[in-house]
């Protein structure tokens, strides 16, 4: 406001100065005119004195002088008028400059108000300022300032949106094995680096291929090599000093009891001191023999006896604790204690029934050879299944035990050299809501156990059929996860399930319920029968021809179109042009939820099977198919 008052004062002073300058210029012009008239009178007198006898020369001279004076007067009046116009133009320009300065000041004031509104996160005030700025700019006819104002607002909004987007929408990794402390440190470090688009979180976020981190010593960084060497030394020392023994002496309990009975007899003969000495020697010998045979997931844990597989196991604990040796050592010790207390080494031999099988299962491998584990929480939405599995505390405890058994089955498939982790797929379709708290509690317990005792066993975690609400839920959990864990997560909306899974798994290994070709107890095809792929262009028709040159064969085929939404039919076209084409499958519209098509046909004459895909949409489609031909004699 002060700047406006100052500008108004300057404007009035400027007007006064302009008026003064105009008056002075006019006065100067008036003073110049008399002088010119005097000169003309003198000149006229000269002419008069030198005129002819009849006075004609005088009159003509005077007329010429009058004409010249008149012309000069008109010229001077024109000059005076131009001077006044220039002064007025200058005055107008000065006024426009003052007006622009006022506009700039107004914009500055409004910009300050806008920034204050943004800081207070008051959206209503922000809209009022935006409207006020827009109306003022339009009124002044300054389109440039309007664009600038819009740009400022858009930039503010963009920055706020980016901050929301950069919050990684990630959920918990069942096997990350990282502490909250490490997560907070990683989060602070990543806040500086997050200049790139998050979806890659988001979600998404996935590469066409991925490989496990190298476990070769030569491929490690210098700091990682140093940490592994130190960790080896601590583990070796702990095993030799029996620091890892919790209940591992139980298998030797009978031998220990018989030794104690012998010690009692010896006590009577040689006294109590000899008995204590013998018991101590017996205990040390027993403990030593057990410790040296310690294994974890079938891998010898003693570094001096182990090899590359031992390093792989040790590196899992190191990576889970960001190569902090002492924290990794504590995690390993706690894991061994937990496994001993819960008899985890014998869990694969337990019969826990099949009631929980629909909720999760191991199925096939991905393109890199990782075992694939499917988690299907949607089945728990069914009240009958829910009551059967999680209604009682006994069943919930059994479910936790069963789920740990499943992960142990997956680990049993690993060689800990080329492949040492599992691909997890979690289907969120029809997942029970918050009302069924038992589901939430039991899954929280399972996740906690996997985090603490199965570090770095997830190669990739793909969430499919992700509902909108899940992204908000994932955002809440994101601050508790490290960037390393978040990078393993991939998200797929229902329409992208098949396409996403095919990036990591062959079609023959994907169940038909997820858009693949794998069927339970399939007697026609196996995973070795690989599928071929064709592209169906937008607004076009593609045909797949299966030749059958001999009569009496049985042709079986599989076909799936990613995303379907096409018209599809099947025909048998005889080689003999005089024969009729047989319609095997009449044309029908295939919806997005369709699974793979399996059909067969026995030909009575040579010809070919023709599969026709009519894509009327504006996007191209991918089709996967395979077939087999069996002669009637072999069948």
């Amino acid at each position: 406001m002060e700047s406006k008052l100052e500008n108004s004062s300057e404007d009035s002073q400027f007007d006064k100065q302009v008026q003064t300058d105009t008056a002075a210029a006019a006065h100067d012009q008036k003073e110049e005119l008399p002088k010119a008239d005097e000169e003309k009178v003198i000149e006229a007198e000269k002419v008069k004195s030198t005129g002819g006898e009849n006075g004609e020369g005088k009159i003509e001279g005077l007329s010429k002088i009058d004409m010249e004076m008149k012309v000069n007067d008109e010229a001077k009046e024109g000059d005076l008028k131009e001077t006044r116009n220039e002064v007025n133009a200058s005055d107008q320009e000065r006024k426009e400059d003052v007006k622009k300065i006022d506009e700039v000041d107004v914009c500055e004031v409004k910009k300050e108000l806008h920034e204050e509104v943004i800081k207070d996160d008051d959206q209503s005030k922000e809209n009022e300022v935006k409207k006020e700025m827009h109306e003022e700019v339009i009124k002044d006819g300054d389109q440039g300032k309007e664009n600038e104002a819009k740009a400022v607002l858009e930039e503010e909004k963009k920055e706020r949106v980016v901050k929301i987007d950069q919050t990684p929408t990630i959920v918990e990794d069942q096997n990350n094995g990282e502490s909250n402390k490490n997560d907070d440190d990683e989060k602070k470090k990543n806040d500086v680096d997050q200049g790139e688009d998050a979806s890659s979180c988001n979600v998404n976020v996935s590469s066409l291929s991925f490989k496990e981190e190298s476990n070769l010593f030569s491929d490690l960084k210098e700091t990682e090599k140093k940490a592994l060497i130190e960790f080896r030394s601590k583990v070796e020392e702990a095993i030799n000093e029996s620091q890892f023994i919790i209940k591992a002496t139980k298998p030797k309990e009978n031998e220990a009891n018989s030794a104690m009975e012998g010690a009692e007899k010896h006590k009577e003969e040689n006294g109590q001191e000899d008995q204590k000495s013998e018991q101590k020697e017996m205990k040390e010998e027993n403990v030593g023999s057990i410790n040296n045979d310690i294994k974890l997931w079938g891998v010898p844990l003693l570094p001096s006896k182990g090899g590359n597989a031992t390093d792989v196991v040790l590196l899992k604990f190191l990576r889970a604790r960001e190569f902090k040796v002492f924290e990794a050592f504590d995690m390993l010790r706690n894991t061994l204690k937990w496994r001993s207390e819960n008899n985890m080494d014998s869990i694969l031999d337990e019969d826990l029934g099949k009631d929980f099988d629909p909720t999760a299962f191991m199925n096939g491998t991905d393109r890199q050879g990782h075992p694939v584990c499917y988690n299907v929480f949607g089945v728990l939405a069914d009240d009958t299944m829910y009551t059967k599995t999680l209604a009682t505390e006994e069943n919930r405890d059994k479910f936790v035990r069963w789920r740990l058994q499943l992960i142990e089955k997956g680990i049993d498939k690993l060689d800990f050299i080329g492949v040492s982790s599992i691909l997890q797929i979690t289907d969120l379709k029809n997942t029970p809501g918050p009302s069924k708290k038992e589901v939430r509690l039991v899954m929280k317990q399972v996740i906690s156990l996997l985090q603490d005792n199965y570090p770095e066993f997830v190669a990739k975690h793909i969430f499919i059929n992700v509902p909108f609400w899940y992204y908000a839920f994932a955002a809440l959990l994101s601050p508790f996860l490290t960037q390393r864990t978040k990078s393993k997560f991939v998200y797929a909306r229902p329409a992208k399930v098949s396409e996403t899974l095919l990036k990591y798994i062959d079609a023959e290994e994907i169940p038909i319920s997820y858009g693949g070709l794998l069927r339970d107890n399939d007697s026609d095809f196996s995973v070795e029968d690989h599928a071929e792929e064709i592209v169906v262009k937008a607004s076009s028709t593609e045909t797949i021809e299966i030749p059958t040159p001999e009569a009496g064969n049985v042709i079986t085929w599989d076909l799936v179109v990613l995303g379907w939404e096409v018209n599809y039919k099947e025909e048998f076209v005889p080689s003999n042009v005089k024969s009729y084409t047989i319609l095997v499958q009449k044309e029908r519209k295939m919806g997005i939820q369709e699974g793979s098509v399996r059909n067969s046909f026995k030909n009575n004459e040579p010809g070919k099977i023709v599969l026709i895909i009519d894509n009327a949409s504006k996007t191209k489609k991918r089709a996967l198919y395979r077939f087999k031909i069996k002669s009637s004699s072999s069948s």
Side-chain angles (χ1 to χ4, degrees):
M1 295 303 293
E2 291 178 1
S3 63
K4 286 184 178 181
L5 293 174
E6 291 175 1
N7 289 332
S8 300
S9 177
E10 290 177 3
D11 191 11
S12 61
Q13 291 177 4
F14 172 74
D15 291 339
K16 292 179 181 180
Q17 184 65 37
V18 169
Q19 292 174 2
T20 303
D21 293 344
T22 305
H27 180 70
D28 292 342
Q29 291 292 335
K30 289 180 181 179
E31 289 180 352
E32 290 177 4
L33 287 173
K35 290 181 180 179
D37 292 338
E38 291 177 1
E39 293 176 358
K40 290 179 180 179
V41 170
I42 295 170
E43 185 176 355
E45 290 176 355
K46 289 180 180 180
V47 172
K48 187 176 181 180
S49 62
T50 58
E53 293 180 355
N54 57 3
E56 292 179 358
K58 295 178 182 178
I59 294 173
E60 291 177 358
L62 288 173
S63 298
K64 291 181 179 179
I65 291 172
D66 290 338
M67 292 295 292
E68 291 176 358
M69 290 178 66
K70 188 175 181 180
V71 170
N72 289 335
D73 290 342
E74 291 177 354
K76 292 194 181 292
E77 286 179 0
D79 293 340
L80 181 58
K81 191 176 291 185
E82 289 179 359
T83 302
R84 288 176 178 173
N85 291 336
E86 290 177 359
V87 171
N88 291 333
S90 177
D91 184 16
Q92 187 65 25
E93 291 176 357
R94 290 286 300 274
K95 287 183 178 180
E96 289 180 357
D97 291 339
V98 170
K99 188 175 182 181
K100 289 182 179 179
I101 291 171
D102 289 340
E103 291 174 1
V104 172
D105 290 339
V106 170
C107 290
E108 288 295 329
V109 171
K110 289 176 181 176
K111 186 176 180 182
E112 290 175 2
L113 289 173
H114 174 69
E115 291 174 349
E116 185 176 350
V117 169
I118 292 299
K119 289 180 181 179
D120 296 337
D121 198 25
D122 189 343
Q123 189 62 38
S124 61
K125 289 183 180 180
E126 179 184 354
N127 292 335
E128 290 177 5
V129 171
K130 178 182 177 181
K131 183 178 179 181
E132 201 173 18
M133 292 176 71
H134 179 74
E135 291 175 353
E136 185 68 25
V137 171
I138 293 298
K139 192 180 295 182
D140 296 339
D142 191 347
Q143 190 64 33
K145 284 186 171 58
E146 180 187 14
N147 294 335
E148 182 179 355
K150 287 183 178 179
V152 171
L153 288 171
E154 291 298 328
E155 189 66 21
E156 291 288 345
K157 287 185 178 180
K158 184 178 179 182
E159 290 177 1
R160 297 171 73 182
V161 170
V162 167
K163 288 180 181 178
I164 295 173
D165 291 344
Q166 285 178 350
T167 301
T169 55
I170 306 300
V171 297
E172 65 269 37
D173 179 2
Q174 294 183 355
N175 305 303
N176 63 11
E178 287 128 356
S179 65
N180 289 341
K181 180 180 178 182
N182 292 333
D183 293 340
D184 292 338
D185 293 340
E186 186 70 17
K187 181 188 174 187
K188 291 178 182 178
K189 183 173 70 174
N190 290 330
D191 286 342
V192 180
D193 298 331
Q194 282 184 345
E196 59 190 34
D197 190 274
S199 73
S200 307
C201 338
N202 212 281
V203 125
N204 107 316
V205 125
S206 64
S207 57
L208 294 179
S209 63
F210 65 98
K211 292 183 179 180
E212 295 185 28
E213 295 176 275
S214 176
N215 293 307
L216 295 176
F217 185 81
S218 58
D219 292 337
L220 300 178
K221 300 176 182 178
E222 290 302 320
T223 54
E224 295 173 347
K225 290 179 180 178
K226 183 178 179 180
L228 179 57
I229 293 172
E230 184 179 351
F231 195 30
R232 285 174 181 169
S233 178
K234 287 186 69 66
V235 172
E236 185 93 20
E237 180 181 358
I239 292 177
N240 290 332
E241 294 180 0
S242 304
Q243 295 181 19
F244 287 154
I245 290 300
I246 304 298
K247 290 184 179 181
T249 56
K250 276 192 172 182
K252 299 285 184 177
E253 186 176 354
N254 293 335
E255 297 179 12
N257 289 337
S258 61
M260 289 293 291
E261 292 175 1
E264 288 292 334
K265 294 180 181 179
H266 187 73
K267 174 183 176 182
E268 297 176 356
E269 299 176 358
N270 299 320
Q272 192 171 358
E273 292 298 327
D274 291 342
Q275 178 210 9
K276 289 182 180 180
S277 176
E278 186 171 344
Q279 284 179 340
K280 184 178 180 180
E281 291 176 0
M282 180 266 308
K283 183 177 180 181
E284 289 179 351
E285 181 180 357
N286 186 33
V287 168
S289 63
I290 294 173
N291 272 340
N292 287 333
D293 291 335
I294 287 181
K295 292 183 179 181
L296 187 54
W297 302 302
V299 177
L301 203 55
L302 189 67
S304 60
K305 286 188 175 182
N308 291 335
T310 301
D311 277 353
V312 171
V313 173
L314 296 182
L315 282 169
K316 286 183 177 295
F317 288 89
L318 282 172
R319 287 184 171 124
R321 291 296 181 260
E322 301 296 328
F323 284 88
K324 298 176 181 179
V325 176
F326 289 97
E327 292 183 14
F329 182 79
D330 286 340
M331 185 181 186
L332 175 60
R333 180 168 54 192
N334 292 336
T335 295
L336 291 172
K337 178 181 177 180
W338 173 79
R339 292 182 67 83
S340 177
E341 292 174 346
N342 292 276
N343 299 318
M344 294 303 298
D345 289 337
S346 61
I347 193 172
L348 291 177
D349 299 327
E350 298 178 17
D351 183 7
L352 299 175
K354 297 183 180 298
D355 291 343
F356 307 111
D357 289 359
T359 64
F361 54 92
M362 301 296 301
N363 184 79
T365 60
D366 66 6
R367 297 181 190 272
Q368 305 294 335
H370 302 103
V372 181
C373 179
Y374 291 84
N375 304 281
V376 189
F377 299 142
V379 297
L380 296 175
D382 179 72
D383 291 337
T384 303
M385 185 67 183
Y386 174 78
T387 302
K388 184 179 180 180
T389 55
L390 301 177
T392 66
E393 184 176 356
E394 180 182 358
N395 282 346
R396 290 193 292 271
D397 291 341
K398 187 177 179 181
F399 175 82
V400 172
R401 185 78 176 171
W402 173 86
R403 189 59 183 81
L404 295 175
Q405 184 187 64
L406 183 65
I407 195 69
E408 290 283 343
K409 289 180 179 179
I411 293 174
D412 192 50
K413 300 177 182 294
L414 306 177
D415 58 15
F416 287 96
I417 298 176
V419 179
S420 60
S421 57
I422 298 170
L423 176 67
Q424 291 276 355
I425 297 175
T426 298
D427 185 359
L428 297 176
K429 184 178 182 180
N430 299 327
T431 301
S435 60
K436 294 187 176 180
K437 62 179 182 180
E438 289 82 3
V439 177
R440 186 173 67 255
L441 292 175
V442 75
M443 292 312 304
K444 183 177 179 180
Q445 183 180 358
V446 170
I447 290 170
S448 178
L449 290 173
L450 294 175
Q451 286 178 338
D452 294 340
N453 302 289
Y454 295 89
E456 296 297 318
F457 272 103
V458 172
K460 214 77 172 175
H461 199 148
I462 305 174
F463 296 87
I464 60 176
N465 291 313
V466 180
F468 283 111
W469 63 263
Y470 196 78
Y471 290 104
F473 171 71
L476 295 176
L477 297 176
S478 175
F480 303 101
L481 303 174
T482 65
Q483 187 62 31
R484 178 187 183 82
T485 300
K486 297 169 189 175
S487 66
K488 296 180 180 181
F489 294 165
V490 178
Y491 294 89
R493 298 282 299 156
K496 296 291 184 180
V497 170
S498 301
E499 182 178 347
T500 301
L501 293 182
L502 281 169
K503 294 178 180 179
Y504 304 95
I505 311 171
D506 289 329
E508 311 85 57
E509 298 271 10
I510 300 175
I512 57 173
S513 56
Y514 296 127
L517 300 174
L518 182 64
R519 299 170 182 264
D520 294 334
N521 304 317
D522 194 346
S523 58
D524 294 319
F525 294 96
S526 67
V527 294
E528 284 77 24
D529 297 317
H530 297 292
E532 298 183 40
E533 179 179 330
I534 64 169
V535 175
V536 185
K537 296 181 180 179
S539 303
S540 66
T541 301
E542 290 288 339
T543 60
I544 300 171
E545 297 183 356
I546 305 173
T548 57
E550 297 180 2
N553 290 334
V554 177
I555 307 98
T556 305
W557 60 89
D558 262 344
L559 179 136
V560 64
V561 178
L562 303 188
W564 283 103
E565 295 297 330
V566 299
N567 292 318
Y568 173 73
K569 68 176 180 178
E570 303 167 345
E571 296 177 344
F572 173 74
V573 180
S575 300
N576 188 347
V577 294
K578 296 182 179 180
S579 299
Y580 292 101
T581 296
I582 300 175
L583 185 62
V584 180
Q585 170 66 56
K586 67 178 182 179
E587 183 174 3
R588 68 185 183 98
K589 178 76 173 182
M590 304 291 285
I592 191 172
Q593 300 297 333
E594 297 281 352
S596 65
V597 172
R598 168 74 61 85
N599 208 347
S600 61
F601 180 80
K602 183 176 181 179
N603 66 321
N604 295 320
E605 59 179 316
K608 60 183 177 182
I609 296 291
V610 181
L611 313 179
I612 304 171
I613 305 169
D614 181 15
N615 179 21
S617 68
K618 296 181 180 180
T619 59
K620 67 179 181 180
K621 302 287 185 177
R622 293 169 59 195
L624 300 163
Y625 70 96
R626 59 182 176 176
F627 63 89
K628 274 187 175 180
I629 301 176
K630 294 181 180 180
S631 63
S632 56
S633 59
S634 62
S635 59

